């Protein structure tokens, strides 16, 4: 549990695989390390059910269980885990000043931003009900569970196109439902979609409701031009309408790219010396737990070198 001290050599903001891995490396690296993980530490994996692609687990592991293990591991090694958010960051002075949700100010010699990115959701009440029960924001994570079943993907960008193609490996049929009459996805991906007999693109339709009892069993979509509704019997509904990186508190303080992701150099340094970023908050491409964990390790190793350099 968190202690009374307010200065740490290394503070990590974020409690997904990147944050906890950074905490493990920081604590084992011999520097005082704290992680601010929000009221419910665990990040996006709390929303997934079974995870089968994280090495070391021969049997599927529940997302929340995996994150609990990571938290315990970081705490056992000596990282202070704070179950609160950081609401404000001040990089204009050193050590960096971080204001927690409680209003308490903490200082850090080095900081790792591992606040993640949230999959954007459609905003339907029925969608919330079935997240992890048929509704998913990650085809790579959950596609395997829909072997031999029909699924649909919502969205028209590269992610939706790639997800639809990926899902054809498992599903018997993949509907790609897009709100306009033209995909945003790159031409090459569009060609691949059209060439795949398992894919049916449904243009000009928006999701209205996800149906089901304990689990999703289909989706009602509406034609935006005619108002006509139809139901697809798809127990798998993959929402691929983009991600939002959690970088609000860093706007104007760290360089962000056009989509709001933290811009980093090769060694995961940000535009502020001593501030590093890891995981989905800087990853526009892979967005996988194991990749995030790897980048958390890298960021912590770089932060350790930075802290060590200041001591010399
Ligand atoms: P994106 O390019 O922003 O596409 C989001 C898609 O979702 C758009 O087609 C959009 O429709 C649709 N959409 C947004 N809000 C919606 C809503 N409320 N209801 C229904 N549909 C909605 O996001 P992305 O596909 O995740 O890609 C993000 C970035 O990563 C892009 O720059 C992309 O090129 C890149 N990326 C690259 C690769 C690759 O190189 N292999 C793979 C994946 C992603 P509209 O088209 O009507 O706006």
């Amino acid at each position: 549990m968190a202690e009374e001290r307010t200065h740490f050599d290394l503070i990590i903001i974020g409690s997904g695989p990147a944050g906890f891995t950074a905490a493990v490396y920081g604590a084992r690296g011999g520097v005082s390390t704290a992680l601010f993980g929000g009221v419910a530490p665990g990040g996006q994996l709390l929303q997934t059910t079974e995870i089968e692609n994280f090495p070391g687990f021969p049997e599927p592991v529940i997302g929340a269980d995996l994150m609990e293990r990571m938290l315990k591991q970081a705490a056992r090694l000596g990282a202070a885990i704070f179950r609160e958010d950081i609401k404000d960051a001040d990089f204009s002075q050193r050590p960096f000043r971080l204001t927690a949700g409680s209003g308490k100010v903490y200082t850090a010699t080095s900081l790792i931003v591992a606040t993640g990115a949230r999959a954007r959701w459609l905003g339907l009440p029925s969608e919330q009900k079935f997240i992890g029960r048929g509704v998913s924001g990650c085809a790579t994570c959950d596609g395997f569970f829909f072997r031999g079943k029909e699924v649909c993907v919502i969205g028209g960008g590269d992610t939706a196109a790639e997800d639809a193609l990926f899902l054809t490996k498992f599903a018997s049929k993949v509907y790609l439902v897009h709100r306009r009459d033209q995909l945003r996805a790159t031409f090459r991906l569009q060609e691949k979609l059209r060439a795949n007999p398992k894919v049916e693109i449904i243009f000009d339709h928006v999701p209205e409701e996800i149906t089901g009892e304990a689990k999703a069993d289909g989706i009602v979509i509406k034609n935006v031009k005619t108002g006509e509704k139809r139901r697809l019997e798809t127990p798998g509904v993959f929402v691929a309408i983009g991600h939002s990186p959690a970088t609000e508190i860093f706007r104007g303080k760290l360089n962000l790219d056009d989509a709001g992701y933290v811009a980093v150099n090769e060694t995961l340094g940000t535009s502020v010396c001593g501030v590093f970023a890891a995981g989905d908050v800087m990853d526009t491409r892979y967005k996988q737990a194991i990749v995030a964990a790897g980048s958390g390790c890298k960021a912590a190793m770089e932060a350790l070198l930075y802290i060590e350099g200041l001591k010399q």
Side-chain angles (χ1 to χ4, degrees):
M1 238 325 106
E3 42 199 292
E4 282 308 301
R5 65 187 292 171
T6 55
H7 177 79
F8 293 88
D9 294 325
L10 175 62
I11 287 185
I12 297 145
I13 313 178
S15 56
F20 282 130
T21 306
V24 165
Y25 275 76
R28 293 192 84 244
V31 302
S32 58
T33 301
L35 179 146
F36 285 78
V39 281
Q44 286 184 89
L45 288 191
L46 293 185
Q47 293 198 334
T48 64
T49 46
E50 294 186 338
I51 298 165
E52 290 186 324
N53 56 5
F54 202 90
F57 294 88
E59 300 302 323
V61 56
I62 304 296
D65 293 346
L66 179 60
M67 298 323 295
E68 183 65 24
R69 284 166 178 251
M70 289 193 196
L71 186 154
K72 282 184 178 157
Q73 185 180 5
R76 181 180 70 79
L77 291 165
I81 311 291
F82 290 83
R83 288 178 187 262
E84 58 179 327
D85 287 322
I86 293 295
K87 296 284 183 209
D88 190 35
D90 179 359
F91 302 142
S92 67
Q93 45 187 308
R94 287 164 194 264
F96 304 126
R97 286 169 64 85
L98 304 160
T99 308
S102 60
K104 199 164 170 181
V105 173
Y106 294 86
T107 56
T109 307
S110 183
L111 179 77
I112 295 177
V113 176
T115 45
R118 294 174 204 101
R120 269 192 220 129
W121 297 104
L122 297 162
L124 304 171
S126 51
E127 172 188 56
Q128 285 303 313
K129 182 176 163 192
F130 293 117
I131 288 175
R133 295 181 180 83
V135 173
S136 169
C138 178
T140 314
C141 317
D142 298 327
F144 187 77
F145 301 120
F146 296 93
R147 193 172 280 275
K149 297 183 177 156
E150 298 201 350
V151 300
C152 79
V153 177
I154 314 296
D158 284 342
T159 303
E162 282 194 344
D163 284 0
L165 291 167
F166 176 77
L167 288 164
T168 59
K169 292 184 193 170
F170 312 102
S172 54
K173 170 146 193 156
V174 179
Y175 296 96
L176 180 60
V177 178
H178 183 39
R179 63 184 177 183
R180 290 188 295 129
D181 59 3
Q182 217 180 343
L183 294 178
R184 181 182 291 277
T186 46
F187 180 68
R188 174 90 186 100
L189 282 170
Q190 294 196 32
E191 274 186 333
K192 281 191 180 177
L193 287 170
R194 295 205 172 88
N196 194 312
K198 280 192 181 176
V199 176
E200 180 180 333
I201 305 176
I202 304 179
F203 288 110
D204 293 320
H205 277 73
V206 289
E208 281 260 299
E209 193 194 350
I210 293 151
T211 58
E213 294 291 332
K215 288 181 170 183
D217 62 12
I219 181 168
V220 178
I221 55 173
K222 186 174 91 176
N223 187 317
V224 291
K225 290 186 174 156
T226 64
E228 206 175 307
K229 292 183 188 177
R230 65 183 279 203
R231 182 167 175 277
L232 306 174
E233 290 192 14
T234 53
V237 176
F238 290 85
V239 179
I241 61 171
H243 282 80
S244 305
T247 48
E248 297 80 12
I249 66 166
F250 304 111
R251 206 160 278 282
K253 297 172 184 171
L254 295 177
N255 282 355
L256 307 178
D257 73 8
D258 290 346
Y261 288 85
V262 178
V264 290
N265 61 23
E266 267 183 5
T267 51
L268 303 188
T270 68
S271 52
V272 174
C273 188
V275 178
F276 301 86
D280 285 8
V281 76
M282 44 65 72
D283 178 1
T284 54
R285 188 169 171 83
Y286 299 104
K287 299 192 190 311
Q288 296 301 301
I290 189 66
V291 177
S295 73
C297 160
K298 284 190 200 175
M301 291 176 76
E302 297 298 339
L304 289 170
L305 285 176
Y306 172 80
I307 295 163
E308 191 57 34
L310 290 183
K311 284 181 184 161
Q312 281 167 5

